[in-house]
Amino acid sequence: MAAVRLPSLGRAMKLRHVLALALISGAFFSTAPASAQPPGHVTGIGGVIVRSKDPKALSAWYRDVLGLEIKPWGGAKLSYAAPGHPPVAVWSPLPQNSDEMTPSTRDFMLNLAVDDMDLFIARLTAKGVPILKRDQDALGKYAWVLDPDGTKIEFWQPTSAGQ
């Protein structure tokens, strides 16, 4: 299978545009059957694991504030089969001097898809979570918050153009 090359992305390209470009371009969809892949390849993101000064408290926040079902082992399973959920996850590096993560000082940001941004924001504000910013474009609605450990979370409700 030939490698798929995405166009060069300038520094000004926002992470959400990288996500949407990847989804729209179909860069992550192979026309070849999975059996045509040679053995020993990456099949997708298996999870996001983070360090925390208080893992139990952080898990409780993700459960109580974001509504994730925290399993006895301390994490949550996020299904790609949820209605309206984008069919892929995107991995994308940003330049070291990017301000996409600001005000977080962490080296990563989470992007979580939501089904109804307005209802989700109402849930967050009812729980006292400050919303850093909201935005909307042709690809969807966005909102950003910080979790208790200072990790920036981008929430994305994709439009049909963004999926």
Side-chain angles (χ1 to χ4, degrees), residues 4 21-30:
V4 176
L21 176 63
L23 292 172
I24 292 168
S25 72
F28 295 101
F29 299 103
S30 172

Side-chain angles (χ1 to χ4, degrees), residues 25-66:
S25 72
F28 295 101
F29 299 103
S30 172
T31 56
S35 61
Q37 292 283 335
H41 64 278
V42 172
T43 61
I45 294 175
V48 176
I49 296 98
V50 299
R51 289 184 192 210
S52 174
K53 60 184 177 276
D54 191 343
K56 287 183 181 181
L58 188 63
S59 290
W61 186 87
Y62 275 76
R63 178 194 65 225
D64 299 341
V65 175
L66 302 187

Side-chain angles (χ1 to χ4, degrees), residues 46-100:
V48 176
I49 296 98
V50 299
R51 289 184 192 210
S52 174
K53 60 184 177 276
D54 191 343
K56 287 183 181 181
L58 188 63
S59 290
W61 186 87
Y62 275 76
R63 178 194 65 225
D64 299 341
V65 175
L66 302 187
L68 295 185
E69 182 183 343
I70 303 299
K71 302 293 184 185
W73 46 269
K77 294 180 180 180
L78 303 173
S79 173
Y80 287 99
H85 185 71
V88 298
V90 173
W91 175 90
S92 179
L94 293 172
Q96 183 66 34
N97 62 353
S98 170
D99 65 352
E100 281 289 302

Side-chain angles (χ1 to χ4, degrees), residues 14-15 94-110 131-133 143-146 150-154:
K14 298 289 185 191
L15 179 59
L94 293 172
Q96 183 66 34
N97 62 353
S98 170
D99 65 352
E100 281 289 302
M101 313 291 185
T102 304
S104 177
T105 58
R106 304 285 295 253
D107 287 333
F108 65 93
M109 175 173 64
L110 298 177
I131 307 302
L132 299 173
K133 182 181 174 185
W144 295 267
V145 303
L146 292 177
T151 302
K152 191 172 184 181
I153 305 171
E154 177 180 72

